[in-house]
Amino acid sequence: MQTGTSKLGGMTTSTLSTVSIALGERSYPITIGTGLLGQSATFAALPSAATAVIVSNTTVAPLYAQQLQLALASKYKSVHLVALPDGEEYKTWQTLNLIFDALLEQGCDRKTVLFALGGGVVGDMTGFAAASYMRGIPFVQVPTTLLAQVDSSVGGKTGINHPMGKNMIGAFYQPLQVVCDLDTLKTLPDRELSAGLAEVIKYGPIADLKFLDWIEANMDRLLARDVQALAHAVQRSCEIKAWVVGQDERESGLRAILNFGHTFGHAIEAGLGYGAWLHGEAVGCGMVMAAHLSQRLGLVDMAFVQRLTALIGKAGLPVVGPQLHAQDNVGRYLELMRVDKKAEGGEIRFVVIDGPARAAMRGAPDALVREVIDACCI
């Protein structure tokens, strides 16, 4: 990781950080700073091609697409824009085909570079399109939400949702570069900022208790969008994720710890209908439920559960789970969690905290999980 002051295209940015993802020939940099998006030098190391295609959505494109188009104009003869509908409910085959339609209409070839300009939905779908079109073309992540900057843009997970489960269709496919311009967080709605903080908080209990202490001490600064606080949160989150992904790119073991809170959270998203709760909101509540499960398994004490719950609540996130079914709420949670990607042979697997900054995958008796859901839901 390198830090310092850098000049990009004649414009001096604030302190610039680079975190590297070490994956051999698929290694790539994560660049973090301000004033990055509109500077051609930000993208100088990318391969040349006749065409670039920016994939964004109808909310982000009017704010930032022109800046990115201008930055890319000196490198690519043609820079096209595809603006997808905005929202988790559009993370579908039908929306994915809009990207393929644009690529085919423009006669894009295997050297065409895709740029994902937006949050996690845009990033996941653009990456999946890149992995699939002509069996693989290069792409770059340009995340504009906190959640995408600290989590979804890093590590090569791409995909779409299915009505029966979140992110069940996709591929591991690494970008060439991740560009985190902190200036884009200025236009982020408060609810989206809180959703991103869920993924920031996640890294504390699973990997770094000092970082958890820092988040607690600096939550007010993060909520106020203090750029130095945000820069540190993004950098440390990316460092932790880079370390995990570098050891387990395809989630055969260690990388599963990054799903702390996600088993419960994905059930909430699918059960309510995608888009009713933001992903980070569901993960925040899911972490509370996973902490309660860890406590009932005898792995942590109630003080830890209370500490984590208080921090998640302070971030503006829900800490009480919703009802997914009027007659059999617990049954509906269990049904949805059995199709989670981490389930094995129909057994639900949970990421639990089993010591200071240590997480593990565990199964749990249905009766215990039922107790947790009953205790944590409205």
Side-chain angles (χ1 to χ4, degrees):
M1 184 272 294
Q2 298 174 334
T3 62
T5 300
S6 174
K7 283 193 175 182
L8 294 173
M11 177 179 176
T12 303
T13 70
S14 67
T15 299
L16 188 70
S17 301
T18 302
V19 177
S20 297
I21 296 277
L23 292 170
E25 63 181 11
R26 295 182 312 286
S27 299
Y28 56 92
I30 305 164
T31 308
I32 304 160
T34 58
L36 300 177
L37 188 58
Q39 303 303 312
S40 59
T42 302
F43 308 98
L46 294 175
S48 297
T51 307
V53 176
I54 300 169
V55 181
S56 190
N57 64 36
T58 53
T59 300
V60 175
L63 298 171
Y64 299 113
Q66 186 176 20
Q67 286 185 52
L68 183 55
Q69 284 177 308
L70 290 173
L72 299 177
S74 63
K75 193 173 188 70
Y76 303 99
K77 182 178 179 181
S78 300
V79 182
H80 302 288
L81 171 66
V82 182
L84 307 176
D86 184 15
E88 185 81 28
E89 63 269 33
Y90 297 108
K91 195 176 176 183
T92 63
W93 277 118
Q94 290 78 12
T95 306
L96 184 68
N97 267 326
L98 297 177
I99 304 175
F100 294 134
D101 290 346
L103 294 174
L104 291 165
E105 287 167 2
Q106 298 299 332
C108 293
D109 57 30
R110 284 180 170 165
K111 291 187 177 180
T112 298
V113 183
L114 293 185
F115 289 81
L117 177 68
V121 172
V122 167
D124 281 9
M125 287 200 296
T126 304
F128 192 24
S132 306
Y133 186 71
M134 293 189 172
R135 297 186 176 90
I137 63 174
F139 87 109
V140 175
Q141 290 274 17
V142 188
T144 61
T145 68
L146 181 60
L147 188 147
Q149 290 184 1
V150 302
D151 185 65
S152 63
S153 70
V154 178
K157 279 188 176 182
T158 73
I160 57 174
N161 297 331
H162 186 279
M164 294 176 62
K166 184 177 172 68
N167 293 331
M168 295 301 289
I169 302 163
F172 286 98
Y173 194 69
Q174 301 295 342
L176 296 179
Q177 182 180 5
V178 179
V179 177
C180 299
D181 190 333
L182 302 174
D183 285 341
T184 62
L185 303 183
K186 294 176 182 178
T187 56
L188 196 63
D190 289 343
R191 186 182 175 194
E192 292 274 4
L193 181 71
S194 290
L197 289 172
E199 295 285 7
V200 175
I201 292 168
K202 170 190 74 177
Y203 291 109
I206 68 169
D208 187 351
L209 285 185
K210 288 185 178 179
F211 186 41
L212 186 64
D213 293 340
W214 181 89
I215 296 167
E216 286 177 320
N218 290 276
M219 180 56 72
D220 289 339
R221 292 176 65 203
L222 292 168
L223 290 169
R225 303 174 199 242
D226 178 274
V227 69
Q228 290 184 332
L230 288 169
H232 180 71
V234 173
Q235 178 182 318
R236 186 62 189 135
S237 297
C238 288
E239 286 172 348
I240 294 170
K241 186 157 189 181
W243 175 76
V244 173
V245 172
Q247 296 180 78
D248 180 20
E249 180 182 3
R250 293 180 175 266
E251 203 170 290
S252 58
L254 176 66
R255 185 168 176 172
I257 69 171
L258 297 172
N259 290 305
F260 178 54
H262 287 58
T263 302
F264 289 107
H266 287 172
I268 291 170
E269 288 185 87
L272 290 177
Y274 296 118
W277 278 28
L278 297 177
H279 175 64
E281 292 171 333
V283 167
C285 187
M287 286 192 289
V288 172
M289 299 171 85
H292 276 277
L293 180 61
S294 302
Q295 188 271 328
R296 288 172 187 264
L297 289 168
L299 303 174
V300 298
D301 58 22
M302 186 52 70
F304 169 81
V305 177
Q306 293 170 343
R307 178 189 183 189
L308 186 61
T309 302
L311 181 58
I312 291 168
K314 187 175 182 181
L317 295 162
V319 296
V320 178
Q323 290 287 327
L324 301 184
H325 193 282
Q327 283 75 45
D328 186 12
N329 183 53
V330 174
R332 181 61 175 149
Y333 269 91
L334 292 171
E335 177 186 18
L336 290 166
M337 290 192 291
R338 289 193 204 286
V339 296
D340 185 83
K341 296 187 298 299
K342 297 179 293 302
E344 296 180 2
E347 180 187 14
I348 306 168
R349 306 280 289 172
F350 300 91
V351 179
V352 295
I353 304 302
D354 68 347
R358 190 172 70 239
M361 288 288 295
R362 294 281 187 92
D366 278 4
L368 200 62
V369 179
R370 285 178 175 272
E371 289 179 12
V372 169
I373 296 170
D374 279 335
C376 293
C377 291
I378 297 171

